[in-house]
């Protein structure tokens, strides 16, 4: 299964900055990026292995493509690259309906990881009432599993507080990350493997996040697990884990912002192992401890 | 060699010489229009009396159509209204699910290979609003072994049968939102929007592929010829996005027997997506340099929103009358000026798809800004569809020198739905405001957007003149126009907005000898009979092209 992420956000929200960071910083994961326009990204020439009109192959194993035909054809082509990518990241156009695009991630060979929507702290409130793009901007934010409130350095603390209040009340449930210059640990946003093995995270990113772990030697029930993940605070950016059931197959837990899934998988877990991560500045681990105790009594 | 065509009557659409009986042609161009006496002085000639009992009008100019109109009619047709096929026959409209099943059963029996799938087009659930949705269970009655895929008229939906779900491995476990389900969560065969439709690869691909074949282009031209159309746009051309198709189009249109002039306005990029528009403008200028007698690329097309009946057009307050607003703007307002400017500066003609009037506000504001930055007299940029254009917008369009291209066929095909469902009585009565455009002095055309509705300029004229809906309603008495004004719209009015009015669109000395040959005079028949006038065919560049059924 190839993981699939959609990055949305209105003009100026910082999608390009984030894409550049993915392409240039990540090592080890073969990302395939489907972006709007080569003109907007800025890839170091030394990183370019080969290039055609619609595809750039990077020395770090990543591939970057632009959309020339429909999304379906483009995604299909990416899936058939040799070697196949591990994770497809689609940049939505500034006015795209990201929830519709995300549906491609439910195709049989893909696994939808999440929908990330960037918002420009300076302009998002105004755009959300704009004559032309109000519904577009609101629809994008409503579809987000994680909202990245970017360019927070450009607004006063008071304004920032207002933006956060507005976003959390208007689009409840989504995880909200505040950042400047799109500086979110990209491995946290995209790389589920790295996120589960914190030591693999880049040193620079390392400072920003905190990991919370929960291990239990007894099996559980689906109901208990559902109760647990549905009550996770929105400051959890990602969580992943496995659990054995008292009866029945094992359960896989995946959380990306407000996207929370439990799936039955094959395995022979006897207990529970769940890891959650969030930003150090936002995630209060004692809330998770309390939740664990309430749900699992330990 | 000079040929003089005689006719019962010639309507020239040249206001200075409106009627004639003879027209002299040499090397594909008109030498003179008048009486035999007036046009016979150019030298030795051959008198062609083929049209002695016909009425000649300028060859119709369809200012908004798509080559896919030819492709879709190569497939089984399940639309609600009758629709002509390229061979001159008529595909009957489907008025009930029983008819639909019957029609598909006939197709099933016709096919020899039991595994060959059926891909059909044109179905529109809006005409079956009082019935339960069409599902795989209906289609399974046709065959529970042969895969069947119905591509809906909107392009946003498909309905498939159980075998089609099976061959594409579409199961209830898949979580794509657009998969229709019954109350128990079982798939019901409806696929909404491309992420779900493309799961059904085998069916979806046939539809896409058919539209890009050489045969689609040939059938498109045949449909045009059968309707008296001598110049037809392909208003979402793919020369930028799929250059191979451009080469094929160049080859096919250069054939002497190709019965139509094709005017292609290309899509610069996937709608809504930014691109290097300066580079694309240069590319279009290059394409324009390759213009040939029957294949032109005078400009560029921008799609700025969705459709009214799909609730995806961006409309002004008070919004949609009923139904959920799915308004989808396909441009970034802050960038639109920069997107359009390179084309404007390169002297290209810009056609902007605005179905909703809020989108149209954006287009007008942007054009105003462009004209302030780069004044260009006589640009003739055009708002195409322009369905819900308000009076204020018409006044502004007149000042900006914009042309309108109204989707007059909507009055018939969705007029009742606009009145009852989408925009309500007041705005439905003002839809496609042709008479107001005349009052404001705006040059306009009217169109079919084929294959959304069928090619047929007489039908489109009929819509604008009578404004009648299938339920018998008159949609806005005060927006009716005369037959003469409607004829102008589908000839010289259309030619004007493509900067082709010195070559085509009227019958005058020096212009192309392009005629539509009609059995009767659209300006004198009962206005309700305009769409029933028989079409013999066309004359294109002085050559006769008979309709398939003649």
């Amino acid at each position: 299964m190839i993981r699939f992420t959609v990055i949305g956000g209105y003009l100026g929200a910082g999608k390009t900055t984030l894409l550049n960071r993915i392409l240039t910083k990540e090592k080890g994961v073969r990302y395939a990026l489907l972006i709007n326009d080569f003109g907007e990204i800025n890839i170091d020439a030394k990183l370019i292995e080969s290039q055609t009109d619609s595809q750039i192959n990077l020395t770090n194993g990543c591939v970057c493509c632009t959309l020339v035909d429909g999304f379906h054809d483009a995604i299909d082509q990416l899936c058939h690259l040799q070697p196949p990518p591990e994770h497809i990241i689609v940049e939505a156009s500034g006015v795209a309906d990201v929830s519709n695009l995300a549906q491609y991630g439910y195709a049989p060979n893909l696994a939808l990881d999440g929908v990330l929507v960037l918002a420009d702290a300076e302009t998002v409130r105004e755009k959300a009432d704009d004559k032309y793009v109000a519904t577009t901007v609101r629809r994008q934010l409503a579809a987000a599993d994680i909202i990245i409130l970017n360019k927070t350095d450009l607004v006063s603390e008071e304004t920032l507080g207002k933006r956060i209040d507005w976003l959390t009340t208007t689009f409840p449930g989504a995880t909200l990350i505040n950042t400047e210059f799109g500086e979110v640990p990209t491995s946290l946003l995209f790389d589920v493997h790295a996120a589960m093995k914190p030591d693999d995270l880049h040193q620079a990113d390392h400072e920003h996040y905190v990991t919370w772990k929960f291990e239990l030697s007894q099996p559980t029930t689906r109901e208990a697990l559902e109760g647990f993940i549905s009550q996770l605070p929105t400051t959890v950016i990602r969580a992943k884990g496995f659990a054995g059931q008292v009866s029945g197959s094992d359960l896989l837990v995946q959380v990306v912002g407000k996207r929370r899934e439990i799936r039955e998988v094959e395995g022979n877990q006897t207990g529970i192992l769940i890891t959650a991560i969030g930003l150090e500045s936002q995630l209060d681990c004692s809330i998770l401890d309390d939740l664990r105790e309430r749900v699992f009594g330990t | 060699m000079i040929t003089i065509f005689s006719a019962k009557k010639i309507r020239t659409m040249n206001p200075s010489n409106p009627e004639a009986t003879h027209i002299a042609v040499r090397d594909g161009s008109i030498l003179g229009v008048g009486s035999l006496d007036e046009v016979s002085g150019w030298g030795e000639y051959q008198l062609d009396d083929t049209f002695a009992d016909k009425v000649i009008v300028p060859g119709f100019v369809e200012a908004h159509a798509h080559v896919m109109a030819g492709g879709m009619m190569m497939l089984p047709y399940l639309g609600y209204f009758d629709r002509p096929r390229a061979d001159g026959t008529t595909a009957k409209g489907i008025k009930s699910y029983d008819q639909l099943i019957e029609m598909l059963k006939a197709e099933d029996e016709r096919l020899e290979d039991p595994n060959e799938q059926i891909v059909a087009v044109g179905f529109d659930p809006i005409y079956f609003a009082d019935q339960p949705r069409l599902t795989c269970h209906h289609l399974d009655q046709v065959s529970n072994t042969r895969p069947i895929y119905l591509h809906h008229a909107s392009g946003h939906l498909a309905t498939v049968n159980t075998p089609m779900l099976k061959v594409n491995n579409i199961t209830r476990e898949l979580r794509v939102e657009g998969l229709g389900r019954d109350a128990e969560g079982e798939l019901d065969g409806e696929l909404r929007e491309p992420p779900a439709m493309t799961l059904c690869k085998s069916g979806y691909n046939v539809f896409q592929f058919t539209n890009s074949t050489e045969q689609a282009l040939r059938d498109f031209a045949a449909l045009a010829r059968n309707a008296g159309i001598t110049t037809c746009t392909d208003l979402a051309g793919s020369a930028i996005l799929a250059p191979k198709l451009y080469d094929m189009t160049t080859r096919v249109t250069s054939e002497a027997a190709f019965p139509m002039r094709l005017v292609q306005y290309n899509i610069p990029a996937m709608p809504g997506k930014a691109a290097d528009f300066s580079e694309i403008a240069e590319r279009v200028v290059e394409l324009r340099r390759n213009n040939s007698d029957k294949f032109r690329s005078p400009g560029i097309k921008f799609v700025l929103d969705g459709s009214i009946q799909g609730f995806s057009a961006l409309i002004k307050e008070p919004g949609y009358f009923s139904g959920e607003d799915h308004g989808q703007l396909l441009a970034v307002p802050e960038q639109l000026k920069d997107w359009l400017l390179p084309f404007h500066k390169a002297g290209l003609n810009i056609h902007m798809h605005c179905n909703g009037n809020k989108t149209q506000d954006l287009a007008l504001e942007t054009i105003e800004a462009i004209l302030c930055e780069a004044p260009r007299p006589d640009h003739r940029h055009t708002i195409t569809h322009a369905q819900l254009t308000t009076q204020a917008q018409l006044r502004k369009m007149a000042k900006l020198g914009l042309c309108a291209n109204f989707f007059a066929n909507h009055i018939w095909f969705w007029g009742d739905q606009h009145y009852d469902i989408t925009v309500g009585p007041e705005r439905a009565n003002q839809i496609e405001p042709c008479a107001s455009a005349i009052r404001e002095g705006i040059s306009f055309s009217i169109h079919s957007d084929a294959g959304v509705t069928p090619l047929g300029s007489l039908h489109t004229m009929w819509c604008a003149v009578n404004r009648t809906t299938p339920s018998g309603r008159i949609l806005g008495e005060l927006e009716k126009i005369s037959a003469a004004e409607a004829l102008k719209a589908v000839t010289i009015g259309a030619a004007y907005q493509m900067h082709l009015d010195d070559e085509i669109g009227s019958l005058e000395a020096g212009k192309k000898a392009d005629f539509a040959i009609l059995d009767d005079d659209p300006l004198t028949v009962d206005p309700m009979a305009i769409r029933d006038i028989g079409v013999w065919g066309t004359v294109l560049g002085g050559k006769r092209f008979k309709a398939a059924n003649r």
Side-chain angles (χ1 to χ4, degrees):
Chain A
M1 298 280 255
I2 300 170
R3 304 213 57 89
F4 186 86
T5 298
V6 176
I7 299 181
Y10 195 66
L11 177 73
K15 297 195 293 286
T16 306
T17 313
L18 188 60
L19 291 169
N20 275 323
R21 286 167 52 83
I22 298 164
L23 278 175
T24 54
K25 286 183 75 176
E26 291 305 322
K27 296 261 193 303
V29 175
R30 283 193 312 279
Y31 289 111
L33 270 62
L34 187 57
I35 64 165
N36 273 321
D37 184 13
F38 281 160
E40 66 186 15
I41 55 161
N42 175 23
I43 305 174
D44 188 341
K46 280 179 289 190
L47 275 176
I48 297 176
E49 195 174 81
S50 59
Q51 185 169 4
T52 67
D53 274 356
S54 60
Q55 185 172 330
I56 299 175
N57 296 315
L58 302 182
T59 51
N60 60 9
C62 294
V63 175
C64 192
C65 295
T66 57
L67 192 63
V68 284
D69 218 328
F71 272 101
H72 172 258
D73 289 347
I75 293 165
D76 199 46
Q77 277 170 28
L78 292 180
C79 290
H80 287 94
L81 287 174
Q82 280 309 325
E86 292 168 84
H87 196 143
I88 294 175
I89 298 173
V90 174
E91 177 198 16
S93 84
V95 289
D97 179 348
V98 287
S99 69
N100 186 36
L101 272 181
Q103 298 305 312
Y104 285 107
Y106 286 128
N109 51 341
L110 298 172
L112 180 61
D113 196 70
V115 176
L116 313 182
V117 175
L118 289 111
D120 179 339
E122 262 196 314
T123 61
V124 65
R125 188 67 196 86
E126 188 189 318
K127 292 297 170 199
D129 285 336
D130 180 83
K131 172 179 174 183
Y132 298 119
V133 299
T135 48
T136 300
V137 167
R138 285 170 186 262
R139 211 180 283 150
Q140 287 173 352
L141 291 166
D145 297 313
I146 298 175
I147 296 172
I148 300 168
L149 184 62
N150 196 11
K151 304 189 176 178
T152 53
D153 54 315
L154 299 180
V155 295
S156 68
E157 213 159 295
E158 192 198 341
T159 308
L160 181 61
K162 279 190 196 160
R163 295 288 176 272
I164 292 170
D165 284 350
W166 177 75
L167 284 168
T168 46
T169 50
T170 319
F171 309 100
T175 290
L176 183 67
I177 298 175
N178 312 327
T179 183
E180 304 166 4
F181 312 110
E183 279 192 6
V184 189
T186 49
S187 38
L188 215 65
L189 292 179
F190 305 109
D191 184 359
V192 68
H193 309 296
M196 291 310 113
K197 287 187 287 175
D199 296 345
D200 293 350
L201 284 177
H202 293 285
Q203 213 50 45
D205 291 341
H206 203 266
E207 301 159 0
H208 294 292
Y209 72 91
V210 57
T211 307
W212 177 85
K213 262 193 183 153
F214 162 38
E215 279 180 81
L216 191 68
S217 53
Q218 291 102 40
T220 181
T221 62
R222 189 177 181 119
E223 290 68 35
L225 209 56
E226 271 168 3
F228 177 74
I229 68 163
S230 67
Q231 291 178 70
L232 284 174
T234 57
T235 46
V236 169
I237 295 175
R238 267 183 185 277
K240 185 176 181 176
F242 292 93
Q245 289 192 86
V246 179
S247 64
S249 46
D250 283 359
L251 300 173
L252 168 70
V253 173
Q254 290 207 89
V255 173
V256 179
K258 82 174 173 208
R259 184 173 301 278
R260 289 150 192 223
E261 297 173 6
I262 296 180
R263 268 192 297 141
E264 296 198 352
V265 290
E266 302 222 344
N268 48 3
Q269 296 281 332
T270 52
I272 308 175
L273 173 62
I274 293 175
T275 312
I277 48 178
L279 292 181
E280 200 167 41
S281 55
Q282 294 176 16
L283 178 60
D284 179 356
C285 288
S286 67
I287 295 176
L288 296 175
D289 292 335
D290 292 347
L291 176 61
R292 181 194 60 203
E293 222 172 291
R294 272 208 313 282
V295 176
F296 296 104
T298 171
Chain B
M1 185 64 204
I2 297 168
T3 304
I4 294 181
F5 293 95
S6 67
K8 189 163 74 182
K9 187 186 284 175
I10 299 173
R11 297 270 184 201
T12 68
M13 300 317 284
N14 169 7
S16 186
N17 180 33
E19 283 184 42
T21 54
H22 290 77
I23 186 160
V25 174
R26 184 178 64 198
D27 298 334
S29 297
I30 296 169
L31 284 173
V33 188
S35 62
L36 180 62
D37 193 37
E38 287 168 323
V39 303
S40 57
W42 288 92
E44 202 180 316
Y45 64 87
Q46 201 164 38
L47 189 65
D48 188 330
D49 279 332
T50 315
F51 311 130
D53 64 340
K54 306 285 179 205
V55 173
I56 294 180
V57 298
F60 295 129
V61 181
E62 170 54 79
H64 191 144
H66 305 281
V67 173
M68 59 100 51
M72 68 176 276
M73 292 313 284
M74 290 159 62
L75 300 169
Y77 171 76
L78 300 170
Y80 187 77
F81 294 99
D82 292 358
R83 188 180 278 229
R85 289 196 187 278
D87 64 3
T89 60
T90 300
K92 291 299 282 178
I94 299 290
K95 307 290 187 198
S96 70
Y97 289 168
D98 284 345
Q99 277 179 14
L100 182 142
I101 291 163
E102 204 177 304
M103 150 84 203
L104 286 170
K105 270 187 177 159
E107 184 65 15
D108 176 59
E109 273 161 33
R110 197 185 63 80
L111 295 175
E112 280 168 19
D113 178 352
N115 297 317
E116 186 178 344
Q117 58 181 6
I118 296 174
V119 176
V121 298
F123 179 72
D124 191 344
I126 203 164
Y127 301 113
F128 299 91
D130 56 343
Q131 303 232 15
R133 295 291 280 191
L134 186 78
T135 67
C136 56
H137 305 301
H138 295 102
L139 301 182
D140 288 345
Q141 292 173 40
V142 177
S143 172
N144 49 25
T145 52
R146 183 191 300 287
I148 301 174
Y149 177 96
L150 305 194
H151 197 82
H152 290 206
S154 67
H156 289 273
L157 295 149
T159 308
V160 304
N161 69 347
T162 307
M164 186 57 102
L165 289 171
K166 277 198 187 127
V167 294
N168 287 284
N169 297 317
I170 304 172
T171 58
R172 69 172 281 162
E173 288 71 37
L174 282 178
R175 294 170 57 198
V176 179
E177 265 172 25
L179 290 172
R181 293 175 194 273
D182 64 18
E184 274 76 52
E186 287 298 333
L187 299 180
D188 69 7
E190 185 162 292
L191 313 173
R192 304 179 200 107
E193 298 298 328
M197 295 163 74
T198 50
L199 289 174
C200 191
K201 222 172 165 175
S202 63
Y204 188 82
N205 285 0
V206 166
F207 177 77
Q208 298 297 324
F209 172 76
T210 307
N211 289 330
S212 59
T213 56
E214 190 171 319
Q215 193 59 43
L217 177 59
R218 293 187 187 282
D219 281 8
F220 181 53
L223 285 164
R225 174 204 61 206
N226 296 349
I229 296 166
T230 50
T231 298
C232 194
T233 46
D234 176 25
L235 213 70
S238 54
I240 307 293
L241 296 174
K244 268 187 201 150
L245 283 180
Y246 178 81
D247 296 340
M248 180 273 284
T249 307
T250 303
R251 176 171 53 78
V252 172
T253 53
S254 69
E255 293 170 5
F258 189 77
M260 177 186 94
R261 300 184 202 281
L262 182 71
V263 181
Q264 197 169 47
Y265 283 77
N266 290 295
I267 295 281
M270 296 293 287
K273 181 180 162 297
D276 187 341
F277 290 110
S278 296
E279 198 184 303
I280 295 169
E282 279 172 34
R283 173 107 177 85
V284 179
V285 169
E286 215 177 286
L287 295 177
R288 192 175 55 176
R289 237 177 259 134
N290 299 337
N291 277 352
S292 62
D293 195 38
K294 286 195 288 195
F295 186 25
R296 316 285 179 99
S297 309
I300 197 81
K301 158 88 175 289
F302 276 86
V303 178
L304 300 183
D305 68 357
S307 73
I308 304 170
Q309 72 276 25
F311 300 89
S312 51
L314 214 65
I315 71 172
K316 285 164 78 90
E317 284 65 34
Y320 285 95
F321 188 51
S322 66
E324 202 181 326
D325 186 344
H326 293 285
Q328 175 71 52
L329 190 65
L330 295 173
V332 179
E334 294 91 329
Q335 293 181 326
L336 186 58
K337 191 181 111 187
D338 294 334
W339 292 7
L340 300 182
L341 205 54
F343 301 98
H344 173 81
K345 282 184 172 166
L348 294 163
N349 184 218
I350 304 173
H351 285 224
M352 290 155 281
H353 157 133
C354 302
N355 264 320
N357 49 15
K358 194 186 267 189
T359 311
Q360 198 165 334
D361 266 354
L362 174 64
L364 301 191
E365 276 171 26
T366 307
I367 291 296
E368 185 172 15
I370 282 172
L371 290 172
C372 291
E373 184 166 331
R376 183 179 145 200
D378 205 22
H379 52 80
R380 305 188 200 179
H381 298 324
T382 298
I383 305 291
T384 190
H385 298 327
Q387 301 201 62
L388 296 169
T389 309
T390 65
Q391 296 292 325
Q393 288 175 330
L394 286 168
R395 288 187 285 271
K396 194 171 179 82
M397 286 170 72
K399 285 277 157 57
L400 295 174
L402 281 163
C403 301
N405 189 0
F406 297 117
F407 198 164
N409 275 13
H410 251 260
I411 297 166
W412 171 253
F413 289 101
W414 289 281
D416 287 322
Q417 284 72 27
H418 292 321
Y419 191 98
D420 296 327
I421 303 169
T422 63
V423 294
E426 187 198 334
R427 290 176 296 173
N429 281 335
Q430 296 174 61
I431 206 162
E432 330 299 346
C434 297
S436 290
I438 293 170
R439 288 190 280 270
E440 295 298 338
I442 293 166
S443 182
F444 68 96
S445 181
I446 48 180
H447 68 260
S448 68
D449 195 9
V452 176
T453 73
L455 275 179
S457 302
L458 286 167
H459 186 279
T460 307
M461 282 177 63
W462 176 89
C463 289
V465 169
N466 298 292
R467 298 186 68 91
T468 301
T469 70
S471 74
R473 194 179 264 141
I474 302 296
L475 216 55
E477 187 68 37
L478 294 173
E479 291 298 346
K480 282 184 178 175
I481 57 173
S482 70
E485 288 159 340
L487 183 57
K488 184 179 170 188
V490 295
T491 54
I492 194 72
Y496 177 84
Q497 57 188 232
M498 298 188 271
H499 293 273
L500 293 174
D501 56 312
D502 66 333
E503 283 186 69
I504 58 165
S506 66
L507 305 177
E508 300 175 46
K511 295 184 73 168
K512 304 277 190 200
D514 291 0
F515 323 142
I517 312 297
L518 309 179
D519 289 344
D520 217 330
D521 181 357
L523 306 198
T524 57
V525 298
D526 170 3
M528 281 301 280
I530 291 173
R531 66 174 173 178
D532 304 318
I533 294 172
V535 178
W536 180 90
T538 64
V539 167
L540 181 76
K543 280 199 208 105
R544 292 178 300 192
F545 288 91
K546 206 194 271 196
N549 57 1
R550 292 294 178 117

